[in-house]
Each structure stands twice: as structure tokens, then as C-alpha cells.
Amino acid sequence: MAHEVVRRIEEVSALLAATAPETEGLGRLSDKSVELIREAGVMRLLQPRDFGGYAAHPADFAEAVMAVARNCGSTGWVCGVGGVHPWEMALMDRRLQAEVWGDDPDTWIASPYAPQGIATPVDGGYVLKGRWNFSSGTDHCDWIFLGALVAGPDGTPQQPLKGLHVVLPRSDYTIVPDSWDVIGLCGTGSKDIVVDGAFVPDYRTIDSAEVAEGEKAAERAGRSDTVYRLPFWAMFPLGITAAVIGIAEGALAAHLDYQRERVTAMGTKIKDDPYVLSAIGEAAAEIGASRTQLLDGISRLYDKADGGQPITFEDRAVVRRNQTRCAWRAVAAVDEIFARSGGNAVRRHNVMQRFWRDAHVGLQHAIHTPGSIYHTAALTSMGIEPEGGLRALI
């Protein structure tokens, strides 16, 4: 049975699709798109119940993101990225959770997590400086997660490196205008963020390595719901890849609508062309396989955590391998059907070209970089323990 949030999204799918051109033109989510997402409750799926959320199964979250992205890729992307932030916020100090959600459980939180800033220890916390790229949906958020490296005595990152996720209110950072000028996912408004010496109290920080493991952070935060015991590098990629697969599903639906009555310049009806129909069937199977494998991976981890079993590094590596492959398989399928859509598919009024652009830009995210992930998963499958950089992002 579909989660109630997924059903709400499906009920307003036509409205969401209608907002997509405005969202792309604005370079951020349209006001109507934000309203629809808030009313459906997508951003609260992974939020803890004591602060107005659902603490839902992560597969339900992925389903909701795909349902949004099928209609508007940019809105789906913001839901996929921003929708994970309440999950991590649940692992933070309760004082911070009350600050963020105490007055409004629909408060949104931005990121990025890349450690592009330096956090210098001071009495009671840190002083943060840096500039970060790719803060998706940031115009609509009142708080932000940022990745940072802890500084040593000389002001450079301490050795060995120690990473933090720090949380700041909107008053402590600057959104750089006009810093998101791209060819796809234009409406995500993934702008740059600048912080110049903001003080971050200790309780608004968390060790990024602890979050990566999952279990320890949940225990420290007193969170018993299974979803909060999952590792970060399973949860964060889930939302992003779900958006890409949803975009691929949207491209397939648009392609089918376009091809149904299409006649080529040579007078051939597409519905009578066995070669195009074969390509459509194969692409649909590949996109469907991507969806199934993504949901299966996170469900397997959830079931292990729910059963009290440890999630091993090999488990994490295999799920990351499959999640990465899901994205590449789905986008390759979009390429196959787009190549058979004829020259009119590239016209701005044809939604096919927007889905095609959004899919490729979504594939550019770091979590979809396959080389080291495949390498590491192969080693773990051989019983060999990967070391150093091969363990990154897993």
C-alpha cells in the first residue's frame, strides 16, 4: 500500500507538472511547487514524529521523490536532497531540533555536505569560514547543514582529518545570487553559500564519521526508530538517485505520449515501427529495473537494522554499487528513447528535452561517480578490506 504522502503527490501530479516550466524559468522552485510539496508532506517523511514527521520507511521516501520527479525534475531533486536533512537533524541535539522545528514543523533545511569550509575550535564551539557549491532549494530554507574540516593550531585542517556537519540559521550565511547558471535541473536553485566567521556552538555540530556509521549516532540521540539507525551514505544517495529515476520515468511517460500518434517524415506511424517499439520496451524495462533495485537495496539495509543485525561495510558497499548503477542504467535508457524521438524532441516546448537535460545533470552528482564505488564493492565481495580513499562516500 502506498504511503499517504505518495498518494497525495499522485493526486496533484498534473499541478506539479504544470509548475515545471515556471520553476525552470525562475531558477528556483515556483511558489506553487513549494506549496504543493509542503501540503503533501514530502519533506516530513523522514522527520521524527515528536517534531511533526512520519519517521517513515526510507523506501516510502524514495517513492515520494520519484513521484515528484516524474512531473518536475527540479522539484523532485530538491525533495530528494532536502528530504534527507530532517533524517540527520533527528540525530542532532534536541535543543537544535527545537530551534529548527519548535515553531514550524514545515521548516526546510538546506545543505551541502562537501567539506569546503574550515571550522576553528573556540570556547564553546567553532568559528566557521568557507564557500560551498550546490545548495539545492536553498532559497526556501531557513537553516543549513554544511560540511567542514576542523582546523589545527596553524589554521589549516588538522591531521588526521576530522570532518564535521555543522548547522547554521539563515542569518549566519549568505546565498550568492546568480551562482546557479546551468543546462539542467535549472529550477533547483543550487546556489553557492558563503560563511565568513560565524560562531557555531558545539550542540549544532556532529561528527560526520559518526553519522556515516548510523547506529552510534542514533544511540547517542536516543532515537529508536529503525530509520535513524541507517548509515548516511545509504540515506543521502537514496534521495538523489530516486530523483534521477523519477526523471527517467517522466521522460518515458512523455516519450510514450509523444510517440503514440507520431508519424515520421517518411510516413511511418511509430506505433507500426518495430524497431522504435523494441527500443521503448527495452528502455522501460531498464528504468523499471533501476527502480526495483534502488528500493530493494535500502529495504535490505532497513530489514537488517530492524532485526538488530549489524550493517557491515560490505553491505554498504554493495548497496552503493547498485544505487550508482541504477542511475547510470536509467539515464542510458532515457538516451535510447530520446534518440528515437526525432528532431522535434529538442524543441523547448517539448518536455522530453527538459527531462533529458535534467537526467544528465543529475548523473553529474558525486554520489553517481562509479569507478571507486565499483572498485571497492568488488574488493569487499572478495573478502578484501578496502583502505584509505576507497572507503570514501560509502
Side-chain angles (χ1 to χ4, degrees):
M1 180 182 294
H3 193 282
E4 61 185 282
V5 171
V6 178
R7 291 198 299 272
R8 288 179 203 148
I9 289 297
E10 290 171 345
E11 288 170 1
V12 299
S13 60
L15 293 174
L16 268 174
T19 69
E22 182 184 4
T23 286
E24 178 160 81
L26 290 171
R28 60 166 176 81
L29 301 191
S30 69
D31 293 344
K32 184 63 176 179
S33 181
V34 171
E35 176 188 333
L36 292 168
I37 296 306
R38 287 190 190 280
E39 290 178 350
V42 178
M43 294 295 198
R44 289 187 284 113
L45 273 166
L46 300 180
Q47 197 161 308
R49 294 184 181 90
D50 51 325
F51 285 100
Y54 294 94
H57 194 296
D60 290 330
F61 167 66
E63 292 268 16
V65 171
M66 287 187 272
V68 175
R70 279 197 295 274
N71 296 286
C72 176
S74 288
T75 307
W77 183 270
V78 171
C79 289
V81 175
V84 175
H85 299 150
W87 170 85
E88 183 172 1
M89 183 58 67
L91 305 176
M92 304 290 290
D93 191 293
R94 298 294 174 108
R95 286 175 292 174
L96 176 59
Q97 295 172 43
E99 288 175 346
V100 173
W101 291 317
D103 293 330
D104 182 5
D106 275 320
T107 297
W108 289 7
I109 311 162
S111 58
Y113 290 109
Q116 294 176 294
I118 298 293
T120 302
V122 295
D123 186 31
Y126 301 86
V127 171
L128 182 68
K129 290 187 178 183
R131 179 167 178 153
W132 292 257
N133 310 122
F134 310 124
S135 185
S136 297
T138 199
D139 290 304
H140 313 286
C141 300
D142 296 317
W143 292 78
I144 196 166
F145 274 106
L146 295 172
L149 295 174
V150 177
D154 63 354
T156 63
Q158 71 175 37
Q159 299 296 329
L161 296 175
K162 180 181 179 181
L164 293 176
H165 291 170
V166 304
V167 180
L168 285 77
R170 180 68 186 81
S171 57
D172 285 355
Y173 59 92
T174 300
I175 300 172
V176 181
D178 302 321
S179 54
W180 185 241
D181 184 13
V182 290
I183 63 168
L185 293 176
C186 305
T188 64
S190 303
K191 298 171 184 174
D192 290 7
I193 300 297
V194 173
V195 178
D196 187 14
F199 172 69
V200 185
D202 283 322
Y203 75 90
R204 291 183 185 166
T205 72
I206 193 168
D207 188 318
S208 56
E210 184 178 280
V211 179
E213 295 295 330
E215 186 72 34
K216 292 180 181 178
E219 289 177 359
R220 183 189 50 73
R223 293 290 179 190
S224 58
D225 291 286
T226 300
V227 66
Y228 302 118
R229 303 206 302 271
L230 296 174
F232 177 86
W233 291 114
M235 293 297 292
F236 185 59
L238 174 69
I240 295 172
T241 302
V244 170
I245 293 172
I247 290 166
E249 291 177 333
L252 177 62
H255 180 75
L256 292 171
D257 286 343
Y258 178 57
Q259 297 283 48
R260 190 173 288 111
E261 303 299 330
R262 181 175 165 236
V263 179
T264 69
M266 302 301 293
T268 303
K269 295 180 179 179
I270 294 299
K271 64 184 180 181
D272 295 329
D273 187 327
Y275 304 107
V276 173
L277 296 180
S278 177
I280 291 173
E282 183 174 358
E286 289 295 278
I287 294 168
S290 295
R291 160 185 274 270
T292 298
Q293 193 170 37
L294 182 70
L295 297 175
D296 175 74
I298 197 64
S299 296
R300 285 175 180 269
L301 293 186
Y302 184 94
D303 289 347
K304 290 197 75 170
D306 197 48
Q309 302 176 56
I311 295 174
T312 67
F313 184 79
E314 181 178 1
D315 293 331
R316 289 154 52 184
V318 168
V319 168
R320 279 285 280 121
R321 176 199 69 195
N322 292 349
Q323 162 262 316
T324 301
R325 186 59 194 154
C326 288
W328 282 84
R329 182 192 297 117
V331 176
V334 172
D335 282 343
E336 288 298 316
I337 55 177
F338 190 73
R340 290 166 174 82
S341 295
N344 285 321
V346 303
R347 297 188 186 278
R348 289 283 183 181
H349 69 264
N350 191 320
V351 297
M352 274 290 298
Q353 52 79 27
R354 189 181 70 241
F355 281 121
W356 183 80
R357 288 185 288 110
D358 288 350
H360 278 275
V361 172
L363 201 59
Q364 295 296 113
H365 195 284
I367 63 114
H368 291 141
T369 304
S372 62
I373 300 299
Y374 293 170
H375 179 172
T376 300
L379 288 176
T380 62
S381 297
M382 294 176 186
I384 300 170
E385 191 71 14
E387 298 179 355
L390 288 175
R391 302 179 74 87
L393 309 188
I394 296 177

